[in-house]
Amino acid sequence: MSGTKPDILWAPHQVDRFVVCDSELSLYHVESTVNSELKAGSLRLSEDSAATLLSINSDTPYMKCVAWYLNYDPECLLAVGQANGRVVLTSLGQDHNSKFKDLIGKEFVPKHARQCNTLAWNPLDSNWLAAGLDKHRADFSVLIWDICSKYTPDIVPMEKVRLSAGETETTLLVTKPLYELGQNDACLSLCWLPRDQKLLLAGMHRNLAIFDLRNTSQKMFVNTKAVQGVTVDPYFHDRVASFYEGQVAIWDLRKFEKPVLTLTEQPKPLTKVAWCPTRTGLLATLTRDSNIIRLYDMQHTPTPIGDETEPTIIERSVQPCDNYIASFAWHPTSQNRMIVVTPNRTMSDFTVFERISLAWSPITSLMWACGRHLYECAEEENDNSLEKDIATKMRLRALSRYGLDTEQVWRNHILAGNEDPQLKSLWYTLHFMKQYTEDMDQKSPGNKGSLVYAGIKSIVKSSLGTVESSRHNWSSLDKQSDIQNLNEERILALQLCGWIKKGTDVDVGPFLNSLVQEGEWERAAAVALFNLDIRRAIQILNEGASSEKGDLNLNVVAMALSGYTDEKNSLWREMCSTLRLQLNNPYLCVMFAFLTSETGSYDGVLYENKVAVRDRVAFACKFLSDSQLNRYIEKLTNEMKEAGNLEGILLTGLTKDGVDLMESYVDRTGDVQTASYCMLQGSPLDVLKDERVQYWIENYRNLLDAWRFWHKRAEFDIHRSKLDPSSKPLAQVSTYIILERIKL
């Protein structure tokens, strides 16, 4: 306390009481107002709390410092240091029935009057009270009183025992201290060291001194100006803070030669520093004429002896109120809670909220720490209403051995859950590529196999200028349409699209049957129509309408198809052009777009984005000229690369373009698992050495390790070594490779 600025103290053991002290002592009781209204006469401290005045004590004038008795009984015993050096024990009217009531009014008087600057109760021997006084050349400045010592009123002249409240009333005086320390010096602050009840740390005039009461003739000291506000960290008893003007010094008592850390404050002088009693290593500081409390979070324990590295700290500021703050006090038990008081006695109850630290676990649980609490948020495995995180998907797929089926490659999309149409398209594409590559290598070893893995874009470019169109009859219709003659490259493209099987047979019948078995009636009808078999398309639609899960509206579409006419100005063409805009299924839309389009103009089919890429490409291979097909494939490839659409691997193949497409896909989804398995499937060596591909592979390996899927990672490494001969298996995988070969 300085001048008339108020100070504030929480009761050590009554967590709902505090005292404000300036010219008088005022005891307040704190109540929660969460579910109740503010009582009459109460002071609002925060949105959730209010204070009620319990009692006022005006019997101790000229207060300079106050210390609350640390024991449970008596509850409200306080020691008050006065301007004349006396220490008075007083109460706030709560201890009338206490067995210690005789202590109330007891005074401890130094030999020579001078100001009492600081008081400190011994935390272990609760009867000991240390007082720090100003300098006197013939007296000591640190006096340790035993509050239970005998009275000695006969030693002191009568005129010195008059109370200011009334000159006829005398008090109980003690003039003989238990210990006297610090001769011919001044004591500005002091505190007991918790590690030993006989050690007292005092901020003297020009040094910090540690007095050992077992040998008062000796002391350990260090010269410094930072002698004010000495306080011990309640969690690390060797760490002490003190201040001078605008600087805070942090000391380690194990190497007391110099501060381990100096914190530079604002130009204004400091008025108070205090360690948080509920939080490890959190120091609060207050400067004069400021409404800001600065917090220093010491992240580590005190540095070991001989280690010159400064401890890591995090600095932040809080503003509990708008007015200047006279003083503050940490709550003894409520975490990070403090109360502040302004010069005009306005008070605020304030909680310092911790910075929230977030962390993802390898299994996608989100954890965060706030104060002493640790929270976890995990995905519900049975909750199908929410889209699973990609990490969760990859983890589940790894458990199902996704990507490791190298015989029936298409089955990998089933191992992935059979939920993503893009993954289905990707693995069917890789399956067809593997199938036709093996077939070509057996028949005519050469570059044909590598051309398959280069994608349809490269295949189409290799046959430019070699294809001519011809007129073909419709099945069951007296009509002809221009269709491109299918050379070897276009047949290969149709095979990769899945429309026809390997060999020279170009019959789409088996493909239509497979679509019908899977219940894809609309798609099957559209493919039949694109192959000029309108009767088969109508038949498929009727089958779909009569099936168990079919749509009865397919009958209506079948009837519309059955009335097809080639006349340009017919009512049928006009009505179908309107009808197709109202259909929801994209395959039904493109059927009517095809029937109503002009020869050579099929944009309504080619640019219907909801139709599978492989069906649009197959259609283009049948109906577009070489130049048109090349332009269309080029444009569609760029769209797929930009969107990161896995259906585009059919066009790019496992080339540099394929890596670009996969990069967009990974950027969009984070699925390094699919990217790794895809690129290992048949990429040439220069593609596998691409740093992006290597980055995906290593990240997936790290993910498997993070999930502790050691065997899964070993399986992946074995799989990688088989498909990429340039990759050398790691030492820990060698055993697994040997075992695999033994099994074979």
Side-chain angles (χ1 to χ4, degrees):
M1 292 168 54
S2 60
T4 58
K5 285 187 177 181
D7 198 0
I8 192 164
L9 301 171
W10 278 102
H13 302 295
Q14 294 175 298
V15 295
D16 59 351
R17 296 187 182 186
F18 65 88
V19 65
V20 176
C21 33
D22 45 13
S23 59
E24 58 188 12
L25 299 172
S26 303
L27 179 66
Y28 290 89
H29 176 253
V30 181
E31 294 179 306
S32 173
T33 58
V34 175
N35 298 317
S36 60
E37 296 182 359
L38 189 66
K39 295 180 180 179
S42 296
L43 302 175
R44 173 71 69 181
L45 298 179
S46 68
E47 293 181 358
D48 303 328
S49 62
T52 303
L53 181 62
L54 296 181
S55 63
I56 298 176
N57 184 327
S58 303
D59 296 337
T60 51
Y62 313 117
M63 283 188 291
K64 291 299 177 180
C65 52
V66 178
W68 205 311
Y69 187 61
L70 299 180
N71 264 14
Y72 287 94
D73 189 23
E75 293 178 345
C76 292
L77 179 68
L78 292 98
V80 178
Q82 297 180 308
N84 59 4
R86 293 190 179 194
V87 178
V88 181
L89 298 184
T90 187
S91 174
L92 289 160
Q94 307 296 309
D95 302 302
H96 298 303
N97 298 322
S98 171
K99 62 182 180 180
F100 293 95
K101 62 182 179 180
D102 292 340
L103 294 174
I104 308 303
K106 196 170 185 180
E107 288 192 22
F108 303 90
V109 185
K111 295 178 183 177
H112 300 90
R114 72 266 199 206
Q115 179 172 299
C116 181
N117 297 314
T118 180
L119 295 170
W121 292 97
N122 190 301
L124 296 179
D125 194 334
S126 58
N127 293 331
W128 289 8
L129 175 64
L133 293 84
D134 276 347
K135 178 180 179 180
H136 191 282
R137 65 177 182 273
D139 203 354
F140 297 90
S141 60
V142 177
L143 305 179
I144 299 176
W145 303 97
D146 183 353
I147 63 171
C148 293
S149 63
K150 299 294 183 180
Y151 312 138
T152 54
D154 51 354
I155 302 176
V156 182
M158 199 55 153
E159 61 269 14
K160 291 189 177 181
V161 300
R162 304 291 186 188
L163 282 177
S164 58
E167 293 192 1
T168 60
E169 188 176 355
T170 62
T171 186
L172 305 173
L173 301 181
V174 177
T175 59
K176 181 64 175 175
L178 194 62
Y179 294 97
E180 295 177 308
L181 308 166
Q183 189 173 19
N184 194 25
D185 205 344
C187 180
L188 302 177
S189 62
L190 50 78
C191 66
W192 294 94
L193 298 183
R195 66 183 184 183
D196 190 334
Q197 65 172 349
K198 299 291 186 179
L199 296 180
L200 180 68
L201 175 63
M204 308 305 284
H205 180 53
R206 292 189 180 277
N207 58 70
L208 285 180
I210 299 178
F211 295 101
D212 189 340
L213 302 187
R214 289 162 294 203
N215 184 3
T216 57
S217 63
Q218 295 183 356
K219 65 178 180 179
M220 182 171 66
F221 68 95
V222 57
N223 292 325
T224 178
K225 292 183 178 180
V227 296
Q228 295 176 295
V230 292
T231 176
V232 181
D233 187 336
Y235 288 92
F236 298 104
H237 296 164
D238 286 316
R239 183 159 60 188
V240 174
S242 63
F243 68 87
Y244 168 72
E245 292 187 350
Q247 288 188 332
V248 179
I250 307 297
W251 305 85
D252 187 339
L253 298 182
R254 296 169 299 180
K255 46 176 183 176
F256 201 39
E257 298 83 12
K258 62 179 181 179
V260 294
L261 183 65
T262 301
L263 309 174
T264 302
E265 279 284 351
Q266 300 299 324
K268 295 179 181 179
L270 288 155
T271 58
K272 187 169 185 177
V273 299
W275 295 100
C276 179
T278 60
R279 170 72 156 75
T280 304
L282 185 62
L283 181 70
T285 66
L286 175 66
T287 56
R288 188 178 63 193
D289 298 335
S290 172
N291 61 354
I292 298 294
I293 292 177
R294 187 165 280 106
L295 304 173
Y296 297 94
D297 191 355
M298 313 286 174
Q299 293 296 297
H300 299 289
T301 58
T303 53
I305 296 176
D307 189 351
E308 297 298 327
T309 305
E310 290 189 350
T312 303
I313 63 170
I314 297 176
E315 179 183 347
R316 58 187 291 208
S317 299
V318 293
Q319 184 178 344
C321 60
D322 295 329
N323 299 325
Y324 289 157
I325 299 172
S327 185
F328 69 90
W330 291 106
H331 193 281
T333 58
S334 295
Q335 187 175 6
N336 291 7
R337 179 184 176 189
M338 66 169 61
I339 194 164
V340 300
V341 61
T342 64
N344 60 1
R345 273 184 168 244
T346 302
M347 293 168 287
S348 296
D349 191 353
F350 180 74
T351 299
V352 178
F353 288 99
E354 295 278 3
R355 285 189 175 95
I356 297 177
S357 301
L358 294 173
W360 284 103
S361 74
I363 56 173
T364 71
S365 295
L366 177 64
M367 303 191 74
W368 65 94
C370 185
R372 295 177 179 174
H373 302 286
L374 189 65
Y375 302 91
E376 180 179 11
C377 179
E379 277 188 316
E380 292 287 345
E381 293 186 4
N382 298 324
D383 188 0
N384 296 322
S385 62
L386 299 175
E387 177 71 13
K388 286 187 173 68
D389 178 77
I390 186 59
T392 302
K393 290 181 179 179
M394 289 192 290
R395 186 169 178 271
L396 295 175
R397 291 170 185 171
L399 290 172
S400 68
R401 302 188 78 249
Y402 168 70
L404 294 174
D405 195 330
T406 56
E407 297 301 323
Q408 292 180 300
V409 178
W410 63 271
R411 290 191 69 255
N412 285 300
H413 89 87
I414 298 177
L415 298 176
N418 197 17
E419 298 175 345
D420 191 332
Q422 286 194 34
L423 286 183
K424 182 177 181 180
S425 173
L426 170 69
W427 288 108
Y428 267 105
T429 296
L430 296 176
H431 174 76
F432 293 142
M433 286 180 173
K434 179 177 183 293
Q435 187 179 46
Y436 297 125
T437 299
E438 292 174 350
D439 185 56
M440 287 181 176
D441 288 342
Q442 290 175 2
K443 291 182 178 179
S444 55
N447 294 327
K448 288 291 184 182
S450 61
L451 185 63
V452 171
Y453 277 110
I456 289 180
K457 177 183 174 182
S458 298
I459 294 172
V460 167
K461 281 187 176 181
S462 68
S463 65
L464 287 178
T466 63
V467 177
E468 295 180 355
S469 64
S470 62
R471 304 285 290 178
H472 287 254
N473 292 322
W474 282 65
S475 175
S476 306
L477 274 183
D478 185 16
K479 173 182 169 58
Q480 289 186 329
S481 292
D482 288 333
I483 294 184
Q484 303 297 316
N485 294 322
L486 297 178
N487 60 5
E488 186 178 353
E489 285 75 20
R490 293 202 183 210
I491 290 175
L492 178 58
L494 289 174
Q495 290 173 339
L496 292 178
C497 291
W499 275 27
I500 59 178
K501 295 198 176 287
K502 62 182 178 180
T504 57
D505 189 4
V506 293
D507 181 22
V508 297
F511 179 55
L512 295 178
N513 293 335
S514 66
L515 292 178
V516 168
Q517 289 179 358
E518 294 177 7
E520 296 186 58
W521 313 102
E522 298 88 346
R523 184 183 178 192
V527 173
L529 186 65
F530 297 156
N531 284 274
L532 309 185
D533 193 348
I534 194 170
R535 182 178 294 277
R536 180 76 171 116
I538 294 172
Q539 179 186 351
I540 291 171
L541 291 174
N542 287 330
E543 288 180 17
S546 59
S547 67
E548 184 177 349
K549 297 182 179 180
D551 185 359
L552 293 176
N553 291 328
L554 295 181
N555 277 328
V556 178
V557 178
M559 290 177 62
L561 284 180
S562 64
Y564 169 71
T565 176
D566 197 24
E567 297 179 13
K568 294 184 179 180
N569 297 323
S570 66
L571 179 62
W572 183 92
R573 183 180 290 265
E574 181 182 341
M575 294 302 297
C576 285
S577 297
T578 305
L579 173 65
R580 77 181 183 89
L581 300 177
Q582 301 174 5
L583 296 171
N584 293 325
N585 188 283
Y587 282 97
L588 298 180
C589 292
V590 296
M591 289 170 66
F592 288 106
F594 173 63
L595 292 175
T596 57
S597 61
E598 299 293 334
T599 301
S601 178
Y602 302 110
D603 287 359
V605 179
L606 298 172
Y607 296 104
E608 175 53 66
N609 292 329
K610 294 182 180 179
V611 172
V613 169
R614 62 181 59 253
D615 293 331
R616 287 187 278 157
V617 171
F619 177 89
C621 288
K622 290 184 69 69
F623 290 95
L624 298 186
S625 65
D626 279 350
S627 58
Q628 289 177 318
L629 179 61
N630 186 55
R631 286 196 301 270
Y632 174 69
I633 295 297
E634 188 74 34
K635 182 177 181 181
L636 187 59
T637 300
N638 291 333
E639 290 178 0
M640 295 294 104
K641 286 168 58 178
E642 185 175 347
N645 190 329
L646 294 180
E647 293 183 84
I649 293 293
L650 175 70
L651 305 173
T652 65
L654 302 181
T655 61
K656 290 290 186 182
D657 281 344
V659 177
D660 293 340
L661 185 151
M662 193 61 71
E663 182 180 28
S664 298
Y665 170 75
V666 173
D667 289 344
R668 178 170 59 85
T669 65
D671 186 4
V672 293
Q673 182 185 49
T674 296
S676 300
Y677 280 117
C678 172
M679 288 300 148
L680 286 172
Q681 193 63 37
S683 301
L685 189 60
D686 61 322
V687 173
L688 286 174
K689 288 185 176 180
D690 189 297
E691 62 180 10
R692 292 170 292 179
V693 176
Q694 293 300 315
Y695 177 79
W696 299 330
I697 291 173
E698 290 306 315
N699 270 272
Y700 181 54
R701 294 182 74 252
N702 292 337
L703 266 179
L704 292 174
D705 285 340
W707 293 329
R708 299 185 178 183
F709 287 178
W710 319 123
H711 290 81
K712 298 296 181 185
R713 200 254 299 138
E715 283 184 316
F716 175 75
D717 288 339
I718 295 169
H719 176 79
R720 177 187 180 186
S721 66
K722 290 178 179 178
L723 298 179
D724 179 14
S726 65
S727 68
K728 295 181 179 180
L730 299 176
Q732 62 264 36
V733 183
S734 301
T735 304
Y736 289 93
I737 295 178
I738 294 172
L739 291 175
E740 286 287 314
R741 289 174 178 171
I742 291 174
K743 291 178 183 178
L744 294 175

